[in-house]
Amino acid sequence: MSGMKARRSRKAVGENLELVKLAQRFEIHNRSDGKSPRTVQWYNQTVEVFTGWLESEGMSTRLDDVGEDEARLFILHLQERRGLWGKASSHTVNNRVRALRAFFNWLYRQGYTETHRLEHVKPPKVRQKEIEVLTDQEIERIFASVGPNTAMGARNAAMYSLMLDTGLRLSEVVNLKYEDVHLGSRYVKVLGKGDKERIVAFGAHCQRALANYANHYRFEDEEEGPETFFLCIDGYGMTPDALRSLIERLSKAAGIPRLHPHLMRHTYATRFLLNGGNVFLLQQNLGHTTLTMVQKYLHIANREAAVVSQDFSPLDRVEIRAPKRVRHSFKGGDWQGHIYPNAGRSASKNGRAKSPAGRN
């Protein structure tokens, strides 16, 4: 069967299928293509939310009946609906649209549709918010809230140190293998997005926190211990949700309501640049494929540096005497609005100054 005939045949079958059925095939494709479990989950969830919305609006969920108009109405729904935490953020809406476009692009490439039906549906712009990284005082409060002399406290102190000193993602921290933590050489080998490995160095403070946990408090089975470096109290590996829950509690204990895992990554990146690191090394440490994502950290670092530069004000280093105040013997100004007595004389040398209407 030729490629054109195969496309027509699959198109005829696909248009009579429900989106749910096609989403299942899309999941198989993504998993076999090596996409991360979190990416696969996000795609699945997006199609599920879209299908649920179509049903709630009394619309058909067959592929033949769904296209650009339905997608645009769905985008408006995402932008306007209110949830537990208010309206969805522009980041969430943008990512939902990207996932939906990926689904319809796959439908087109697989021959289920003749065209990419969402080709002209562009993801909405993302509102850029200023990121306020953690201050020295806030970082001190984080570690003051953690007791390093208990099993849980030592583990938490080691995790927070690693996140603030390397900028690892939450998933990279919980999946970090014991054999990939090189305490003596002060670096970790990380498996990041796209199954790409990278080496990230850490400092002496982080080294001490990791060594304290590894040497004194980490559970280790004599026969075959868990592969991951950070463990729960019962000796099993941690999950991303468990670490998120820990940081939520830390946020309350340290009195930092805005604290979240990615803020630690933002803080690392900004301080790395402020301390003299270059953007290319930061790109490698963060695991980004392009410099585009790193540029925002350069902007934040420049802003932070501008604020710090207040301490180097040239005038504040000079003892400038305050000028004496001169008390004038007149009050207010004249009828022409002049405050100084001699004002206007030069203007009247060649002729009498014009007076306001009605005063001749």
Side-chain angles (χ1 to χ4, degrees):
M1 183 180 292
S2 66
M4 184 62 70
K5 288 182 178 179
R7 172 175 285 276
R8 289 175 179 173
S9 175
R10 186 170 287 181
K11 172 181 175 293
V13 173
E15 289 186 342
N16 291 317
L17 287 176
E18 295 285 332
L19 292 181
V20 175
K21 292 289 186 183
L22 292 166
Q24 292 172 355
R25 299 181 185 182
F26 185 46
E27 177 183 358
I28 294 172
H29 169 83
N30 289 327
R31 291 173 61 184
S32 63
D33 215 28
K35 288 186 171 56
S36 70
R38 192 169 183 180
T39 299
V40 174
Q41 182 184 17
W42 180 256
Y43 284 161
N44 293 347
Q45 190 183 65
T46 298
V47 179
E48 182 181 344
V49 171
F50 179 53
T51 305
W53 173 79
L54 289 172
E55 291 175 344
S56 68
E57 295 295 315
M59 300 182 186
S60 171
T61 56
R62 287 193 314 124
L63 177 60
D64 190 34
D65 301 322
V66 180
E68 182 175 331
D69 292 341
E70 289 73 21
R72 292 191 181 279
L73 288 172
F74 176 63
I75 294 172
L76 291 177
H77 163 72
L78 292 177
Q79 292 172 329
E80 296 171 358
R81 73 171 181 174
R82 299 192 67 84
L84 291 174
W85 298 278
K87 290 185 178 180
S89 69
S90 58
H91 283 277
T92 300
V93 177
N94 181 282
N95 288 333
R96 288 289 187 205
V97 175
R98 288 181 181 278
L100 202 59
R101 278 175 51 88
F103 176 53
F104 275 86
N105 186 34
W106 174 80
L107 291 172
Y108 167 62
R109 287 187 288 105
Q110 294 297 314
Y112 290 111
T113 58
E114 289 185 346
T115 61
H116 178 5
R117 295 182 183 178
L118 301 192
E119 181 180 3
H120 302 295
V121 178
K122 305 302 180 184
K125 290 184 178 180
V126 174
R127 182 180 301 170
Q128 297 296 334
K129 291 185 178 180
E130 286 292 335
I131 300 172
E132 295 182 14
V133 298
L134 293 167
T135 64
D136 289 353
Q137 295 75 19
E138 287 173 329
I139 293 176
E140 289 174 2
R141 294 211 304 268
I142 286 175
F143 290 103
S145 303
V146 181
N149 297 322
T150 65
M152 184 179 294
R155 180 204 62 192
N156 293 349
M159 284 193 302
Y160 304 150
S161 296
L162 188 65
M163 295 175 77
L164 286 167
D165 215 35
T166 62
L168 297 190
R169 300 178 179 93
L170 180 144
S171 59
E172 293 170 345
V173 173
V174 298
N175 292 321
L176 183 65
K177 298 291 188 293
Y178 182 84
E179 61 184 17
D180 291 334
V181 179
H182 300 267
L183 289 173
S185 302
R186 294 203 322 214
Y187 73 87
V188 291
K189 186 168 70 173
V190 183
L191 184 64
K193 287 186 175 181
D195 284 339
K196 295 179 180 178
E197 287 187 342
R198 68 183 191 276
I199 302 296
V200 188
F202 53 80
H205 175 92
C206 183
Q207 180 188 37
R208 290 192 294 270
L210 293 171
N212 179 54
Y213 167 64
N215 297 334
H216 302 292
Y217 296 102
R218 184 181 180 276
F219 171 85
E220 186 173 355
D221 194 326
E222 294 182 358
E223 297 181 359
E224 186 178 355
E227 291 183 353
T228 54
F229 185 78
F230 295 110
L231 306 176
C232 294
I233 298 301
D234 57 9
Y236 291 98
M238 294 193 65
T239 64
D241 287 339
L243 182 50
R244 286 192 193 93
S245 179
L246 281 175
I247 294 179
E248 284 179 10
R249 293 202 293 270
L250 175 65
S251 168
K252 296 176 182 177
I256 312 174
R258 61 195 176 89
L259 181 64
H260 57 84
H262 226 64
L263 182 58
M264 293 186 174
R265 184 171 166 88
H266 295 325
T267 301
Y268 159 76
T270 303
R271 287 174 174 268
F272 179 86
L273 293 173
L274 286 173
N275 290 340
N278 65 66
V279 292
F280 299 103
L281 185 55
L282 178 61
Q283 175 191 351
Q284 190 272 332
N285 288 350
L286 293 177
H288 290 313
T289 54
T290 66
L291 281 173
T292 304
M293 295 295 293
V294 181
Q295 292 299 326
K296 66 177 180 181
Y297 295 120
L298 188 60
H299 165 72
I300 299 169
N302 289 337
R303 184 193 67 194
E304 294 290 322
V307 173
V308 173
S309 68
Q310 293 173 351
D311 296 335
F312 306 103
S313 168
L315 287 182
D316 287 353
R317 301 297 177 93
V318 180
E319 294 184 4
I320 301 177
R321 295 180 180 180
K324 294 181 179 179
R325 292 188 176 184
V326 179
R327 186 181 295 276
H328 296 285
S329 59
F330 65 93
K331 296 182 179 180
D334 60 9
W335 59 267
Q336 287 181 304
H338 298 306
I339 295 178
Y340 297 98
N342 295 329
R345 280 188 179 181
S346 59
S348 60
K349 283 183 179 180
N350 298 326
R352 185 177 178 181
K354 293 183 180 180
S355 59
R359 296 192 62 170
N360 293 320

